[in-house]
Amino acid sequence: MHVDGMYSPRPQAALMLAHDVERIEVLRGPQGTLFGRNAVGGLINLVSARPTAEMGGYANFELGNYGSERVSTAINLPFGDNVRTRLAYSSFVKDGWIRNTGTGNDIDGRDAYGVRLSVDVDLPNESMIKFNTAHYSSDDNRLNVAGTYCARDAFYGCSPVSYT
C-alpha cells in the first residue's frame, strides 16, 4: 500500500485517509523498479487530491447502528496566487457489538481518525513545491483475527469444538 507514491507500513492508516483521493492506482506484478522493495506482488497507490486555487470543500456524515459515526471532510484554502492548501479529516467511531461473557465488556469497538495537510507552492521558472503531512490515530479493541462464530454451549458459553 502506497500513498502518493510513498510506502505506507500501516495499511489501516492509508485506508483511513482514503476518503479524499484523486485516484487509486492498482498495479499488478513486481513494481520494485518504480516503487522499491516493498512492491514485489504489485501495489495499490492512493493519490490524494491536491489543493486547488478556488476556496471550497465538502463534508460527509454517516450514522449507523452500534453507535457508528463516520465523518469525512476536506477544505481548500488558497493564500494568494502562489500558495494553495487543502486540509482533509476523517474519523470512524463505533461501539463494540461482541459481548465478552467473561468480563461483560463489549469488544470490536473503534475510535480512529486521520488528518492530512497538503500545501502546493508555485515557484519561479514553472517549478512547484508539493508538501504533504498526515497523522493517524486509532484506539480500538478489535480482534486481531478474523471473527469466528461458535455454537452455544451450556458449560463454556461458546463451544470450543464446533462453529456455526
Side-chain angles (χ1 to χ4, degrees):
M1 179 75 67
H2 287 67
V3 178
D4 293 325
M6 300 296 294
Y7 174 67
S8 176
R10 297 175 59 195
Q12 65 273 21
L15 292 175
M16 189 68 186
L17 296 169
H19 75 279
D20 188 41
V21 295
E22 179 181 314
R23 67 183 182 276
I24 299 174
E25 300 171 342
V26 179
L27 303 170
R28 297 185 324 166
Q31 298 294 326
T33 304
L34 297 174
F35 290 93
R37 66 180 181 177
N38 295 317
V40 249
L43 66 93
I44 298 172
N45 185 29
L46 302 173
V47 180
S48 60
R50 299 304 308 166
T52 63
E54 298 175 7
M55 186 165 177
Y58 67 88
N60 294 324
F61 303 96
E62 299 175 21
L63 299 174
N65 57 353
Y66 298 103
S68 176
E69 300 173 7
R70 191 179 298 261
V71 176
S72 60
T73 62
I75 186 167
N76 275 318
L77 297 170
F79 293 102
D81 295 334
N82 298 334
V83 179
R84 297 169 303 282
T85 62
R86 183 176 186 95
L87 182 65
Y89 172 82
S90 66
S91 68
F92 182 47
V93 176
K94 181 181 80 133
D95 296 336
W97 62 278
I98 300 172
R99 174 74 58 179
N100 181 337
T101 56
T103 64
N105 296 332
D106 288 339
I107 58 174
D108 201 34
R110 297 174 95 176
D111 186 5
Y113 75 93
V115 63
R116 180 178 57 237
L117 174 67
S118 303
V119 179
D120 288 354
V121 179
D122 293 331
L123 299 174
N125 302 328
E126 297 186 23
S127 298
M128 179 187 289
I129 294 175
K130 292 183 176 184
F131 174 78
N132 278 355
T133 185
H135 176 73
Y136 170 77
S137 179
S138 176
D139 181 21
D140 61 41
N141 57 358
R142 293 184 294 164
L143 300 172
N144 290 330
V145 297
T148 56
Y149 301 95
C150 63
R152 286 195 167 273
D153 184 84
F155 181 72
Y156 293 107
C158 183
S159 174
V161 293
S162 63
Y163 298 95
T164 59

